[in-house]
Amino acid sequence: MKEPQTLSSLFKLIGISTILIGFVSCNQGKEEKENNSSLKNFKGEISLDVRDSKSDWSAYTPKSAPEGAPNVLFILYDDTGLGAWSPYGGAINMPTMEKLAANGLTYSQWHTTALCSPTRSTIQTGRNHHLNGMASITETADGFPGANGRMGPEVTPFSKILQDNGYSTFWIGKNHNVPEQDVASGGSKKQWPLQMGWDRFYGFIGGETNQWYPDLIEDNHFVEQEYGPEDGYHLSKDLADHALEILRDQQATNPSKPWYMWYNPGANHAPHHAPEEYIEKYKGKFDGGYDEYREWVTKRMIEKGILPEGTVNTPMNPMREDMAQPIDNVRPWDTLNDDEKKLFAKMAEVYAGFSEYTDAQVGRVIAYLEESGQLENTIVMYAADNGASGEGSPNGSVNENKFFNNFPDELSENMKYIDVLGGPETYEHYPTGWASAFSAPFKMFKRYSQYAGGTNDPLVISWPKGIKAKGEIRHQYHHSVDIVPTLLELIGLEMPEVYNGVKQVPLSGVSMAYTFDAKPNDPTQKKVQYYSMLGSRGIWKEGWKAAAVHAPLSGDGNFDQDDWELYHVAEDRSESKDLAKENPEKLQELVDAWFVEADKNNVLPLDDRSAAEILTIERPSQEPARDRYIYYPFAAPVPEGNAVNIRGRSYKILANVEITKEASGVLFAHGSRFGGHSLFIKDSKLYYVYNFLGISPEQVFESSIKLKPGKYTLGVEFIRESAGDKGESFGTTKLYIDEQLVAEGPMRTQPAKFTLSGDGLCVGYDSGDGVSEFYPSPSRFSGGKIGFVGVTVEGTPYIDLEAEAKRIMMSH
């Protein structure tokens, strides 16, 4: 190659070459830019030097909400029938709700799915609960499309749409829409609130929690309550405190953004817990009994215009004798003895106090909105998610966990707690008679989706800026699936047909916004709504209702043999007159319509298996099934759905411990005083306590020798030998210090879960409400070091696990 004659010739050659290379690169960049989705909407200019480039913020600026968009506060109670609260004529005073009703609208025919998780899913997505995979509560997920317990990408939550369009989104209180196996600190967070479109979350994930010692989660992690009931703690107060904190934080930094807060108190779900001064407000008010209350409140509801003239009460035990479950029967008040009347009346007082106390806490939030000038443009919806709860059985309970273990209450045992009902010593639930009374004038209550007693719930809507009517009633028939369409219309947004590349299931509901300017009895714009829950089913269509006679959780099956009833609810609000024989054509039309809706909404197969059978189904988890579990000290509690399952099995628990001085505290604990077990050290002795459903006395095993400084493997072994008639297990328990047997005796274990959702497995402490009266919670272990705790449910000899435990300890 001929060399350049001068250096400038070389630079020129290099310069030309460089420019050519740069030109090619720019062309390549242009082609890549066209294929780069992140640059498609960029309207600026990009050059080599930023000084020669032009920025464009439009592609990166978050969307703003529509001009003048309102705030939304949705308050959703649990387990409350139409006949409970004062705005509807009930005996439970709800001053905050009354104030909102006087400044807005009260709905008399708003319906839900008859159970909490399904209803809450409809309010999240605007789709029917089976389309959300929520046929029932998450704990009953069974792997079918309509019952998998997971909301898929095709039913994007309303909260994500708001979040994408300039809203702050906050969730306070109960969730119960996360799959049970994901309720764990290390579990998938895909279905947790922050991943479902919520900026902040403070509350509890499961179906229920102790109001004095709740299972708390803040955002994506478990937290402990900051103080105890002895210092004035109650969950209702705590939730209001955090709601106010979150709203004030938002106003301090982003006051121009509208917000949506979903406020879900633990009330009125069991356990019924309330401060004594609120319980005292209702002393003697329910002494007349639930039969009398039902008649009294129906008259009051007619007087207030909630029910039309001529509405009659339906029977308290309406199911045919061969169809009804004993657990759901109501014992007539006049058949009760004096102790039962005294106990049952007090249980209603606790429930009423719980409800009013929570309303007072909600009132603090409303007062703040009023003081800060936000209430005028805030849509406040105040509602309940299903009818009053019948889980308390005909006799009520001081420990509602017994229901989930298919174990009956005993009057003499319950009477011991009458003076402390509603306090931390109880996990109370009233009897089915009050469920029927508070769901007056309708048949049945929660879980019964075919009757209005399970589905017809309170709803008050107040929006000073947007609703002209004040203190009026609306009788249009609507459902919880109608909430999302209503809010979308009021805010000025639409649910997209495709979201993040996934085609969306169309909304199931219709907007209720037209009712704001309607007359009380104008026709509804809703046409049809199916119902299905735990084997019960029904359908409403254009003023008519068909109801299948089938008890939920009955285990009867034979759905093709169900009898169907027919009601003209446009004229017979309480569903008191069955017209099936008089109008078989109309009945067949509705039954056919139910099957059409069932096919559209993934309703089949129907499932009426018992609670114990459904709740104990082993469900898939990201963790493979195993027989041995290792837990480490002071980690977050492991919820029951993720913890080792010892139900109906032999098991062993081993703790590797080094004691450096006089040691004490909990080594292992799972559950609470209402059902659980604990291995702990007290006064230098090793103890194991199994608390069988809170029934005293506790089953206690105490070591015959004391522990001195040193390294130990401390453990307990339960050998299952037989089963009782209620599914409980009987066997022998042995307590060990190393290889030495230090206590032995008979023991029984409960057949199902320790709790529905909370008081998880802990190592090194006992969270929330302690398992045993032998120690106060949390009783953190001190005076040494816990290496780990191993639990096995396999049938190998004790010595094998002990040897493995010692080997693992030595390797750490």
Side-chain angles (χ1 to χ4, degrees), residues 638-660:
V638 181
E640 187 148 5
N642 299 86
V644 56
N645 177 8
I646 66 167
R647 299 189 293 271
R649 309 168 80 172
S650 298
Y651 60 88
K652 307 177 187 74
I653 304 170
L654 290 176
N656 269 14
V657 178
E658 181 179 0
I659 294 175
T660 57

PDB file of all heavy atoms in Angstrom, residues 638-660:
ATOM      1  N   VAL A 638     -44.009 -18.163  60.741  1.00  0.00           N
ATOM      2  CA  VAL A 638     -44.360 -18.925  59.544  1.00  0.00           C
ATOM      3  C   VAL A 638     -45.861 -19.232  59.600  1.00  0.00           C
ATOM      4  O   VAL A 638     -46.309 -19.968  60.477  1.00  0.00           O
ATOM      5  CB  VAL A 638     -43.565 -20.245  59.459  1.00  0.00           C
ATOM      6  CG1 VAL A 638     -43.936 -21.009  58.195  1.00  0.00           C
ATOM      7  CG2 VAL A 638     -42.070 -19.972  59.516  1.00  0.00           C
ATOM      8  N   PRO A 639     -46.669 -18.659  58.704  1.00  0.00           N
ATOM      9  CA  PRO A 639     -48.111 -18.897  58.745  1.00  0.00           C
ATOM     10  C   PRO A 639     -48.442 -20.379  58.593  1.00  0.00           C
ATOM     11  O   PRO A 639     -47.672 -21.158  58.007  1.00  0.00           O
ATOM     12  CB  PRO A 639     -48.636 -18.092  57.557  1.00  0.00           C
ATOM     13  CG  PRO A 639     -47.601 -17.043  57.343  1.00  0.00           C
ATOM     14  CD  PRO A 639     -46.299 -17.702  57.662  1.00  0.00           C
ATOM     15  N   GLU A 640     -49.603 -20.752  59.093  1.00  0.00           N
ATOM     16  CA  GLU A 640     -49.957 -22.166  59.148  1.00  0.00           C
ATOM     17  C   GLU A 640     -49.988 -22.829  57.780  1.00  0.00           C
ATOM     18  O   GLU A 640     -49.657 -24.001  57.641  1.00  0.00           O
ATOM     19  CB  GLU A 640     -51.310 -22.343  59.845  1.00  0.00           C
ATOM     20  CG  GLU A 640     -51.664 -23.781  60.090  1.00  0.00           C
ATOM     21  CD  GLU A 640     -52.483 -23.990  61.344  1.00  0.00           C
ATOM     22  OE1 GLU A 640     -52.859 -23.002  61.980  1.00  0.00           O
ATOM     23  OE2 GLU A 640     -52.741 -25.150  61.686  1.00  0.00           O
ATOM     24  N   GLY A 641     -50.388 -22.083  56.765  1.00  0.00           N
ATOM     25  CA  GLY A 641     -50.432 -22.666  55.437  1.00  0.00           C
ATOM     26  C   GLY A 641     -49.076 -23.074  54.902  1.00  0.00           C
ATOM     27  O   GLY A 641     -48.988 -23.855  53.961  1.00  0.00           O
ATOM     28  N   ASN A 642     -48.003 -22.538  55.507  1.00  0.00           N
ATOM     29  CA  ASN A 642     -46.645 -22.851  55.055  1.00  0.00           C
ATOM     30  C   ASN A 642     -45.863 -23.663  56.079  1.00  0.00           C
ATOM     31  O   ASN A 642     -44.791 -24.184  55.769  1.00  0.00           O
ATOM     32  CB  ASN A 642     -45.869 -21.563  54.776  1.00  0.00           C
ATOM     33  CG  ASN A 642     -46.521 -20.734  53.693  1.00  0.00           C
ATOM     34  OD1 ASN A 642     -47.416 -19.948  53.974  1.00  0.00           O
ATOM     35  ND2 ASN A 642     -46.106 -20.921  52.465  1.00  0.00           N
ATOM     36  N   ALA A 643     -46.383 -23.746  57.290  1.00  0.00           N
ATOM     37  CA  ALA A 643     -45.663 -24.434  58.359  1.00  0.00           C
ATOM     38  C   ALA A 643     -45.833 -25.945  58.242  1.00  0.00           C
ATOM     39  O   ALA A 643     -46.724 -26.442  57.540  1.00  0.00           O
ATOM     40  CB  ALA A 643     -46.171 -23.952  59.717  1.00  0.00           C
ATOM     41  N   VAL A 644     -44.986 -26.673  58.957  1.00  0.00           N
ATOM     42  CA  VAL A 644     -45.094 -28.125  58.991  1.00  0.00           C
ATOM     43  C   VAL A 644     -46.495 -28.515  59.467  1.00  0.00           C
ATOM     44  O   VAL A 644     -47.050 -27.924  60.396  1.00  0.00           O
ATOM     45  CB  VAL A 644     -44.013 -28.725  59.920  1.00  0.00           C
ATOM     46  CG1 VAL A 644     -44.092 -28.146  61.333  1.00  0.00           C
ATOM     47  CG2 VAL A 644     -44.120 -30.247  59.968  1.00  0.00           C
ATOM     48  N   ASN A 645     -47.073 -29.498  58.806  1.00  0.00           N
ATOM     49  CA  ASN A 645     -48.430 -29.951  59.116  1.00  0.00           C
ATOM     50  C   ASN A 645     -48.354 -31.185  60.007  1.00  0.00           C
ATOM     51  O   ASN A 645     -47.995 -32.269  59.546  1.00  0.00           O
ATOM     52  CB  ASN A 645     -49.174 -30.252  57.814  1.00  0.00           C
ATOM     53  CG  ASN A 645     -50.569 -30.805  58.045  1.00  0.00           C
ATOM     54  OD1 ASN A 645     -51.058 -30.840  59.173  1.00  0.00           O
ATOM     55  ND2 ASN A 645     -51.215 -31.228  56.976  1.00  0.00           N
ATOM     56  N   ILE A 646     -48.691 -31.026  61.286  1.00  0.00           N
ATOM     57  CA  ILE A 646     -48.659 -32.158  62.221  1.00  0.00           C
ATOM     58  C   ILE A 646     -50.037 -32.734  62.461  1.00  0.00           C
ATOM     59  O   ILE A 646     -50.195 -33.648  63.271  1.00  0.00           O
ATOM     60  CB  ILE A 646     -48.043 -31.739  63.569  1.00  0.00           C
ATOM     61  CG1 ILE A 646     -48.938 -30.716  64.273  1.00  0.00           C
ATOM     62  CG2 ILE A 646     -46.634 -31.192  63.378  1.00  0.00           C
ATOM     63  CD1 ILE A 646     -48.591 -30.488  65.722  1.00  0.00           C
ATOM     64  N   ARG A 647     -51.046 -32.244  61.752  1.00  0.00           N
ATOM     65  CA  ARG A 647     -52.422 -32.678  61.995  1.00  0.00           C
ATOM     66  C   ARG A 647     -52.585 -34.169  61.711  1.00  0.00           C
ATOM     67  O   ARG A 647     -52.265 -34.648  60.630  1.00  0.00           O
ATOM     68  CB  ARG A 647     -53.388 -31.880  61.130  1.00  0.00           C
ATOM     69  CG  ARG A 647     -53.364 -30.398  61.402  1.00  0.00           C
ATOM     70  CD  ARG A 647     -54.485 -29.673  60.671  1.00  0.00           C
ATOM     71  NE  ARG A 647     -54.336 -29.690  59.224  1.00  0.00           N
ATOM     72  CZ  ARG A 647     -53.680 -28.777  58.529  1.00  0.00           C
ATOM     73  NH1 ARG A 647     -53.079 -27.784  59.152  1.00  0.00           N
ATOM     74  NH2 ARG A 647     -53.610 -28.851  57.210  1.00  0.00           N
ATOM     75  N   GLY A 648     -53.093 -34.892  62.703  1.00  0.00           N
ATOM     76  CA  GLY A 648     -53.388 -36.308  62.536  1.00  0.00           C
ATOM     77  C   GLY A 648     -52.173 -37.174  62.308  1.00  0.00           C
ATOM     78  O   GLY A 648     -52.287 -38.260  61.725  1.00  0.00           O
ATOM     79  N   ARG A 649     -51.004 -36.752  62.772  1.00  0.00           N
ATOM     80  CA  ARG A 649     -49.775 -37.492  62.489  1.00  0.00           C
ATOM     81  C   ARG A 649     -48.911 -37.599  63.749  1.00  0.00           C
ATOM     82  O   ARG A 649     -49.013 -36.794  64.670  1.00  0.00           O
ATOM     83  CB  ARG A 649     -48.959 -36.783  61.403  1.00  0.00           C
ATOM     84  CG  ARG A 649     -49.751 -36.447  60.173  1.00  0.00           C
ATOM     85  CD  ARG A 649     -49.006 -35.510  59.242  1.00  0.00           C
ATOM     86  NE  ARG A 649     -48.025 -36.214  58.432  1.00  0.00           N
ATOM     87  CZ  ARG A 649     -47.352 -35.659  57.443  1.00  0.00           C
ATOM     88  NH1 ARG A 649     -47.547 -34.381  57.157  1.00  0.00           N
ATOM     89  NH2 ARG A 649     -46.459 -36.349  56.749  1.00  0.00           N
ATOM     90  N   SER A 650     -48.045 -38.576  63.724  1.00  0.00           N
ATOM     91  CA  SER A 650     -46.964 -38.613  64.702  1.00  0.00           C
ATOM     92  C   SER A 650     -45.933 -37.558  64.289  1.00  0.00           C
ATOM     93  O   SER A 650     -45.765 -37.276  63.104  1.00  0.00           O
ATOM     94  CB  SER A 650     -46.305 -39.991  64.729  1.00  0.00           C
ATOM     95  OG  SER A 650     -47.230 -40.979  65.111  1.00  0.00           O
ATOM     96  N   TYR A 651     -45.262 -36.976  65.274  1.00  0.00           N
ATOM     97  CA  TYR A 651     -44.277 -35.953  64.938  1.00  0.00           C
ATOM     98  C   TYR A 651     -43.226 -35.850  66.038  1.00  0.00           C
ATOM     99  O   TYR A 651     -43.411 -36.330  67.159  1.00  0.00           O
ATOM    100  CB  TYR A 651     -44.941 -34.593  64.726  1.00  0.00           C
ATOM    101  CG  TYR A 651     -45.691 -34.051  65.924  1.00  0.00           C
ATOM    102  CD1 TYR A 651     -45.041 -33.287  66.902  1.00  0.00           C
ATOM    103  CD2 TYR A 651     -47.050 -34.296  66.090  1.00  0.00           C
ATOM    104  CE1 TYR A 651     -45.719 -32.788  67.998  1.00  0.00           C
ATOM    105  CE2 TYR A 651     -47.742 -33.805  67.180  1.00  0.00           C
ATOM    106  CZ  TYR A 651     -47.080 -33.052  68.136  1.00  0.00           C
ATOM    107  OH  TYR A 651     -47.758 -32.567  69.226  1.00  0.00           O
ATOM    108  N   LYS A 652     -42.117 -35.220  65.678  1.00  0.00           N
ATOM    109  CA  LYS A 652     -41.037 -34.955  66.625  1.00  0.00           C
ATOM    110  C   LYS A 652     -40.561 -33.525  66.424  1.00  0.00           C
ATOM    111  O   LYS A 652     -40.501 -33.035  65.298  1.00  0.00           O
ATOM    112  CB  LYS A 652     -39.868 -35.907  66.408  1.00  0.00           C
ATOM    113  CG  LYS A 652     -40.236 -37.389  66.412  1.00  0.00           C
ATOM    114  CD  LYS A 652     -39.024 -38.242  66.114  1.00  0.00           C
ATOM    115  CE  LYS A 652     -39.399 -39.709  65.936  1.00  0.00           C
ATOM    116  NZ  LYS A 652     -40.083 -39.955  64.643  1.00  0.00           N
ATOM    117  N   ILE A 653     -40.223 -32.858  67.519  1.00  0.00           N
ATOM    118  CA  ILE A 653     -39.661 -31.508  67.488  1.00  0.00           C
ATOM    119  C   ILE A 653     -38.355 -31.534  68.265  1.00  0.00           C
ATOM    120  O   ILE A 653     -38.320 -31.971  69.416  1.00  0.00           O
ATOM    121  CB  ILE A 653     -40.621 -30.482  68.123  1.00  0.00           C
ATOM    122  CG1 ILE A 653     -41.991 -30.521  67.443  1.00  0.00           C
ATOM    123  CG2 ILE A 653     -40.022 -29.075  68.065  1.00  0.00           C
ATOM    124  CD1 ILE A 653     -43.054 -29.721  68.169  1.00  0.00           C
ATOM    125  N   LEU A 654     -37.275 -31.083  67.634  1.00  0.00           N
ATOM    126  CA  LEU A 654     -35.961 -31.077  68.268  1.00  0.00           C
ATOM    127  C   LEU A 654     -35.343 -29.695  68.169  1.00  0.00           C
ATOM    128  O   LEU A 654     -35.340 -29.097  67.093  1.00  0.00           O
ATOM    129  CB  LEU A 654     -35.019 -32.077  67.589  1.00  0.00           C
ATOM    130  CG  LEU A 654     -35.324 -33.559  67.786  1.00  0.00           C
ATOM    131  CD1 LEU A 654     -34.349 -34.378  66.962  1.00  0.00           C
ATOM    132  CD2 LEU A 654     -35.227 -33.930  69.241  1.00  0.00           C
ATOM    133  N   ALA A 655     -34.818 -29.214  69.299  1.00  0.00           N
ATOM    134  CA  ALA A 655     -34.155 -27.920  69.330  1.00  0.00           C
ATOM    135  C   ALA A 655     -32.716 -28.103  69.766  1.00  0.00           C
ATOM    136  O   ALA A 655     -32.445 -28.697  70.814  1.00  0.00           O
ATOM    137  CB  ALA A 655     -34.887 -26.985  70.287  1.00  0.00           C
ATOM    138  N   ASN A 656     -31.791 -27.632  68.964  1.00  0.00           N
ATOM    139  CA  ASN A 656     -30.375 -27.630  69.343  1.00  0.00           C
ATOM    140  C   ASN A 656     -30.080 -26.328  70.076  1.00  0.00           C
ATOM    141  O   ASN A 656     -30.205 -25.241  69.503  1.00  0.00           O
ATOM    142  CB  ASN A 656     -29.491 -27.755  68.104  1.00  0.00           C
ATOM    143  CG  ASN A 656     -29.188 -29.203  67.804  1.00  0.00           C
ATOM    144  OD1 ASN A 656     -29.834 -30.091  68.352  1.00  0.00           O
ATOM    145  ND2 ASN A 656     -28.216 -29.431  66.947  1.00  0.00           N
ATOM    146  N   VAL A 657     -29.688 -26.435  71.329  1.00  0.00           N
ATOM    147  CA  VAL A 657     -29.572 -25.275  72.196  1.00  0.00           C
ATOM    148  C   VAL A 657     -28.251 -25.305  72.948  1.00  0.00           C
ATOM    149  O   VAL A 657     -27.812 -26.360  73.420  1.00  0.00           O
ATOM    150  CB  VAL A 657     -30.746 -25.237  73.212  1.00  0.00           C
ATOM    151  CG1 VAL A 657     -30.605 -24.051  74.152  1.00  0.00           C
ATOM    152  CG2 VAL A 657     -32.078 -25.186  72.481  1.00  0.00           C
ATOM    153  N   GLU A 658     -27.637 -24.152  73.067  1.00  0.00           N
ATOM    154  CA  GLU A 658     -26.494 -24.000  73.960  1.00  0.00           C
ATOM    155  C   GLU A 658     -26.894 -23.055  75.083  1.00  0.00           C
ATOM    156  O   GLU A 658     -27.289 -21.906  74.830  1.00  0.00           O
ATOM    157  CB  GLU A 658     -25.285 -23.437  73.219  1.00  0.00           C
ATOM    158  CG  GLU A 658     -24.066 -23.277  74.119  1.00  0.00           C
ATOM    159  CD  GLU A 658     -22.858 -22.753  73.386  1.00  0.00           C
ATOM    160  OE1 GLU A 658     -22.956 -22.507  72.157  1.00  0.00           O
ATOM    161  OE2 GLU A 658     -21.809 -22.577  74.034  1.00  0.00           O
ATOM    162  N   ILE A 659     -26.823 -23.540  76.321  1.00  0.00           N
ATOM    163  CA  ILE A 659     -27.205 -22.739  77.481  1.00  0.00           C
ATOM    164  C   ILE A 659     -25.942 -22.228  78.154  1.00  0.00           C
ATOM    165  O   ILE A 659     -25.050 -23.014  78.497  1.00  0.00           O
ATOM    166  CB  ILE A 659     -28.049 -23.580  78.458  1.00  0.00           C
ATOM    167  CG1 ILE A 659     -29.382 -23.954  77.793  1.00  0.00           C
ATOM    168  CG2 ILE A 659     -28.300 -22.823  79.760  1.00  0.00           C
ATOM    169  CD1 ILE A 659     -30.244 -24.881  78.608  1.00  0.00           C
ATOM    170  N   THR A 660     -25.864 -20.914  78.328  1.00  0.00           N
ATOM    171  CA  THR A 660     -24.667 -20.309  78.906  1.00  0.00           C
ATOM    172  C   THR A 660     -24.874 -19.867  80.355  1.00  0.00           C
ATOM    173  O   THR A 660     -23.912 -19.676  81.088  1.00  0.00           O
ATOM    174  CB  THR A 660     -24.232 -19.094  78.070  1.00  0.00           C
ATOM    175  OG1 THR A 660     -25.325 -18.165  77.994  1.00  0.00           O
ATOM    176  CG2 THR A 660     -23.853 -19.530  76.662  1.00  0.00           C
TER     177      THR A 660
END
